Amino acid sequence: MSEQQGDFASDYSISIYALSEKAVTVVFGHVISETLWRLVSSFNWLLTQNPFSGFTTTVPAYSTLTVFFDPLVVASADLPGKTCYEKVSAYLKTISHNEPSQTGLGGNHIVIPVCYGGNFGPDILTVAQNNGLSEAEVIALHSGASYSVYMIGFVPGFAYMGGMPATLATARKEVPAAAIPAGSVGIAGLQTGIYPIEIPGGWQIIGRTPLQLFDAKRQQPALLKGGDSITFKAITIEEFNAYPE
């Protein structure tokens, strides 16, 4: 696995490695941060607006962007290099000399109603005690912050979000639960997320939303996508039950 270096902005460097015969991954860093997420998103927008011959799609993550391509088309493309990896890497290095742009970073703003605590949030006391807070303070802090969807992964529609107050950070459970209900809102370390379907999980569950995060029958199955901005709104159990199924 070879690696090349390039600059996307004056203060950053990137590396590129071959993921498979049909994909390469661009690495922008090794931490979870708003700055890196914006860099990944900006580069993703730049590439999709200026695709190379054979480009098919991208998968952005916290600090990486994986670029997929058709090797048959790339092999015959007029790009420097002998192998597909060399050709695609050369192109990515070329466009990496562009300045990052705020264009393309904007997503939808979505308000997520959440019924905190009780049976819907069985671990909210753990989060509160871990951080020396009351349950009310946990709710106020969690619902008072603004979040960005960094990536979708783990299972279809699971949105990893950045922006959670550090004062809520809590480690994952030592023993994961066998089944976390769909709509459960959890905390793991400095991250918060929502379980789109019922699955096993180890995040600390502090509440549940009545919204359906994933529905394969919808035109856009996942409610959230990378780049969306999110705020949580505390609701009562009566309001939760009043939401249509």
Side-chain angles (χ1 to χ4, degrees):
M1 183 177 293
S2 56
E3 185 171 290
Q4 298 182 3
Q5 298 292 327
D7 293 326
F8 186 45
S10 58
D11 295 332
Y12 299 95
S13 63
I14 62 173
S15 61
I16 305 171
Y17 66 85
L19 182 66
S20 72
E21 71 277 10
K22 298 181 179 179
V24 301
T25 295
V26 186
V27 181
F28 295 84
H30 302 282
V31 297
I32 298 174
S33 74
E34 181 85 8
T35 299
L36 277 186
W37 170 72
R38 289 184 175 279
L39 204 63
V40 172
S41 298
S42 179
F43 194 87
N44 187 31
W45 178 85
L46 177 65
L47 176 58
T48 55
Q49 295 300 307
N50 303 277
F52 56 87
S53 181
F55 168 82
T56 54
T57 190
T58 57
V59 177
Y62 277 123
S63 59
T64 64
L65 181 70
T66 295
V67 181
F68 290 85
F69 53 86
D70 183 335
L72 295 179
V73 178
V74 170
S76 59
D78 185 20
L79 293 169
K82 295 181 179 179
T83 67
C84 289
Y85 166 76
E86 290 175 346
K87 288 175 176 288
V88 172
S89 296
Y91 182 80
L92 296 175
K93 284 187 64 178
T94 298
I95 67 169
S96 74
H97 292 295
N98 287 270
E99 289 292 326
S101 169
Q102 295 299 309
T103 304
L105 292 179
N108 297 320
H109 176 69
I110 300 173
V111 178
I112 305 289
V114 178
C115 185
Y116 288 96
N119 292 332
F120 288 163
D123 304 316
I124 195 170
L125 183 59
T126 299
V127 174
Q129 293 177 337
N130 181 73
N131 294 290
L133 302 168
S134 66
E135 291 189 28
E137 288 173 322
V138 171
I139 296 170
L141 285 167
H142 192 264
S143 60
S146 296
Y147 302 84
S148 297
V149 176
Y150 281 7
M151 57 176 284
I152 302 294
F154 175 41
V155 293
F158 190 101
Y160 288 86
M161 289 177 258
M164 189 181 74
T167 48
L168 294 177
T170 306
R172 295 167 182 258
K173 298 176 182 177
E174 293 186 3
V175 179
I180 301 294
S184 293
V185 178
I187 287 174
L190 285 168
Q191 305 173 92
T192 190
I194 310 170
Y195 284 78
I197 56 177
E198 181 176 301
I199 49 173
W203 291 37
Q204 307 286 351
I205 304 304
I206 62 172
R208 192 183 304 173
T209 178
L211 299 184
Q212 192 169 6
L213 272 294
F214 184 81
D215 182 353
K217 298 178 182 177
R218 288 194 304 231
Q219 184 175 9
Q220 180 181 313
L223 177 64
L224 308 180
K225 66 180 185 303
D228 285 343
S229 61
I230 305 297
T231 52
F232 293 101
K233 175 187 176 184
I235 61 172
T236 65
I237 191 169
E238 290 78 15
E239 292 173 316
F240 181 100
N241 292 330
Y243 270 79
E245 295 183 358

